[in-house]
Amino acid sequence: MSEPVRRIGGALALLAALALPLLLDDFWLQTGLFVMAAVVGAIGLTLLVGRAGQLSLGHAFFAALGAYTYAWTAGESGGRAAGLGLPPVLALVLAGLAAAVAGALFSPISGRLRGIYLGLATIGLVFLARHLMVNAETITGGFNGRAVESFAVPGFSFSNSDPDYLAVAGVELGGLHRLWYLFLAVALLAAWIATNLVRSRTGRALANVRDSEVAAAAMGINVARAKVTAFVVSSAYAGIAGALMALAYGRIAPDVFGLQLSIDFLVMIVLGGLGSIGGAAVGAVFVVSLPLVLTQYSSDLPFLAAPGSGGLDAATVSRLLYGAAIIAVLLFLRGGLAGAFDRLAFRSAAAPDPSGLPPAPAPRTGAETTPTVPSPGVPTRSKETTP
Amino acid sequence: MSYLLTQLANGLSYGLVLGLIAVGFVIVFTATGVLNFAHGSVLLAGAYLVAVLQPTVGFWAAAAVGIAGAALLGVLINAVLVRNLAEANPGTAAILMLGVDILLLTELTRRIGNRVIPMGAPWGADRVEFAGVSLPTSRALAALVAVVLFAALWFLFARTRTGVAMRAAAADGDTASLMGIRLSRTGAAGWALAGALAAIAGIFLASFPAPGVAPTVALSAFAAIPAWVLGGFDSVVGAIVGGLVVGVATALAVGYEAELHVLGSGFGEVVPYLVMILVLLVRPSGLFGSKEAVRV
């Protein structure tokens, strides 16, 4: 895939994302909001899993922390659940910050454990989160959850009022439309920061730690600190994603932030291809919209039975498709969807190459890093294959 | 005092059953390097087979079929899926097992529906009295069976060719392979063993005082994960000790919930995970886990 084609493709996708709200109905707008919230969380997780090689099943905890921090700090005091009544913009920042701090507090474990061992340890956080959410009633509203203050900047609210009527090209922009643009901006910002992080000194250090901790340490990288950094950044992303989810739902309850959410985040990045930021976004689209769309249109699909009849209902079918998709990608697609895409692009780009060199391996997560044993005297630097 | 003893006895019995599940995690992990997230659905599949078959063929025959079925299921997962992974590393294998778990659990949940299928065990709701402690027979039997199985495991790993081959394969797969040990066989044996142990644990978890087989039984495997982790990832002894620690801590937290009210309701559910996090803070590789040696 040559650079101009990539650019044009990106610009077209952006235009589509900007124009879509004018065409879609409320169901699709709502689905889009959930997808974009998930994209932010998935990008954060792919930095941790794909780049630093650390597994986390605790992202539901950080998402919950972000969501409840937003709801608590932005909420009005005096309702059933307490609130600080801070400006929503500040609350959104605090949501990311609180998750980052919690991630840092977990550093004695996240800095020392590696890979799947860390994944298992983080499962504990999810159960801890549920306990806190149910019991800290004054902040969380307990088992039934609490309402979420809608987002606003001074003079403009991302809800159906203030300004009461706002229209573009004859389409009235209600709360869902306005949130769509907010979420789009946040998701693009998240992707931009992540891309830059991956290409920075820190990002290369993370990739080096993933491939060989010994080699990384020998090159002067503080391995424990690199792992903690990845975990903290990833937690902050999850916190923001949680706050966005809270805004999209309008009301949050403990059931939203179960272990299933952690697994969903993980599945998104695996389907998309570990370490790929675009892949994480594609994975999020699939994982989030599949059950929503199947349920919405279940009455139109002849092979689906009504829920509870013992046949294949929409929820069951979407779970089965979801599980089968994971297995199929892991068995047949190296590097997930992003890996397959890159291989296709590589093949078309490599075809006219007359140099006679043996084809390099297709660019995928593991391919762009330093050799495990750096040759003496030659400072090998990790290099991205895609600029 | 007798209240405390009852709680302890309950905790020990529960802990031993958790140990059965946790040992399955250890065996699969050492034999094939897979973090078996589908362990819970294999357990549920075994228990489901027993509960469905027992009205027609009787409990003992059904139990035999259920245990064999779960073992076979494990072997199949290993042979068909795990060995065909595009990228064989622990991370992708773990996520593959998440996918398998989703498939199995969805199908089993659909089959079970809203029912709670009774286990129909011959000991029913009997209780045994021992030194002033009253315990459901199923719980006492569970502890007994678990101890016998642990002894059998020790015999297997210490005294039989198969067991020694499995240990050798776990310690160093490449060398074991050069010595003529077939890694495909030791892997299959590990999965079969783990599946059978899970089914046995499932039978006890679904019999009295539990009402029967329901999809939530699969979640009990998650409670065994802290036991496995805090025992150390690759130690069978660690898994048993971890199971006991988690079992007793949970039973005490549930039994004294009124006194522990400050910590919130349902505190018993988080105790295993709190214990795990605390142990990992002090010993990152668990109580009995082998430290990863790094040579430069």
Side-chain angles (χ1 to χ4, degrees), chain B residues 12-64:
Chain B
L12 286 175
S13 154
Y14 178 56
L16 285 167
V17 175
L18 282 185
L20 285 177
I21 307 173
V23 167
F25 277 116
V26 172
I27 293 176
V28 165
F29 186 68
T30 52
T32 53
V34 176
L35 199 178
N36 186 7
F37 275 119
H39 207 45
S41 2
V42 172
L43 183 153
L44 179 63
Y48 171 77
L49 271 179
V50 180
V52 170
L53 290 177
Q54 59 90 9
T56 43
V57 300
F59 176 77
W60 295 108

Side-chain angles (χ1 to χ4, degrees), chain B residues 81-203:
Chain B
L81 300 175
V82 176
R83 289 165 59 86
N84 290 314
L85 269 177
E87 294 165 82
N89 70 53
T92 42
I95 296 161
L96 173 81
M97 296 320 293
L98 282 175
V100 175
D101 186 56
I102 291 168
L103 278 189
L104 282 176
L105 198 58
T106 309
E107 178 57 17
L108 285 167
T109 308
R110 189 176 72 83
R111 283 172 180 271
I112 297 173
N114 294 328
R115 291 181 294 164
V116 176
I117 313 173
M119 191 48 87
W123 52 85
D126 299 345
R127 300 185 79 87
V128 284
E129 295 273 344
F130 180 77
V133 175
S134 166
L135 204 63
T137 309
S138 70
R139 284 286 173 89
L141 211 59
L144 196 69
V145 169
V147 170
V148 170
L149 283 173
F150 291 146
L153 278 180
W154 172 82
F155 183 79
L156 173 75
F157 284 124
R159 291 283 185 269
T160 65
R161 284 186 76 83
T162 319
V164 173
M166 287 175 74
R167 267 171 48 206
D172 186 343
D174 292 337
T175 311
S177 183
L178 289 174
M179 296 292 159
I181 292 169
R182 291 202 193 176
L183 295 187
S184 58
R185 285 198 189 160
T186 53
W191 278 85
L193 203 55
L197 291 176
I200 296 170
I203 293 173

Side-chain angles (χ1 to χ4, degrees), chain A residues 213-348:
Chain A
E213 292 193 358
V214 178
M219 294 181 75
I221 295 166
N222 184 337
V223 172
R225 208 177 69 193
K227 289 198 273 193
V228 170
T229 307
F231 199 80
V232 169
V233 171
S234 183
S235 307
Y237 268 82
I240 296 286
L244 294 185
M245 283 174 69
L247 283 169
Y249 276 110
R251 180 170 188 87
I252 45 176
D255 281 346
V256 177
F257 302 101
L259 189 61
Q260 188 56 47
L261 182 66
S262 289
I263 294 177
D264 281 349
F265 277 138
L266 205 56
V267 171
M268 288 171 205
I269 64 173
V270 172
L271 291 183
L274 283 180
S276 155
I277 287 161
V282 175
V285 172
F286 176 79
V287 169
V288 175
S289 55
L290 176 72
L292 293 174
V293 171
L294 271 181
T295 316
Q296 173 79 2
Y297 293 102
S298 60
S299 53
D300 302 334
L301 298 172
F303 56 89
L304 293 183
S309 65
L312 285 174
D313 58 85
T316 307
V317 168
S318 70
R319 298 293 296 162
L320 289 175
L321 280 176
Y322 178 74
I326 301 171
I327 295 173
V329 165
L330 289 176
L331 290 189
F332 305 119
L333 279 184
R334 262 173 97 87
L337 295 173
F341 182 77
D342 279 348
R343 271 196 299 281
L344 273 180
F346 178 79
R347 216 171 274 165
S348 57

Side-chain angles (χ1 to χ4, degrees), chain B residues 207-222:
Chain B
S207 45
F208 185 79
V213 179
T216 47
V217 172
L219 287 179
S220 50
F222 265 101

